[in-house]
Amino acid sequence: MDYIAVLLPPIVVGLLFWFAMKSIFNADKSERQAEARAQAEADARVEAQNPGQDSGPAAG
């Protein structure tokens, strides 16, 4: 029984840390996906307003 009393607190803290980090990484991934979608929409809007013009940096 003493082993449980000794090992339980670090296990619980480790699990809390794992859940916190998992939620942070999931939020970051969602934010990156939303940013990529917004950027793609903005690029498509610019391309629709200026067809035929190169809106990107010069290649070469």
Side-chain angles (χ1 to χ4, degrees), residues 7-46:
L7 293 176
L8 192 59
I11 289 172
V12 170
V13 169
L15 287 173
L16 288 173
F17 178 76
W18 181 75
F19 281 119
M21 294 305 292
K22 182 179 176 184
S23 67
I24 289 171
F25 286 128
N26 284 340
D28 181 59
K29 182 173 79 171
S30 298
E31 184 179 354
R32 288 175 187 263
Q33 289 172 346
E35 179 68 26
R37 272 195 309 271
Q39 186 65 41
E41 289 174 6
D43 291 344
R45 204 173 313 123
V46 167

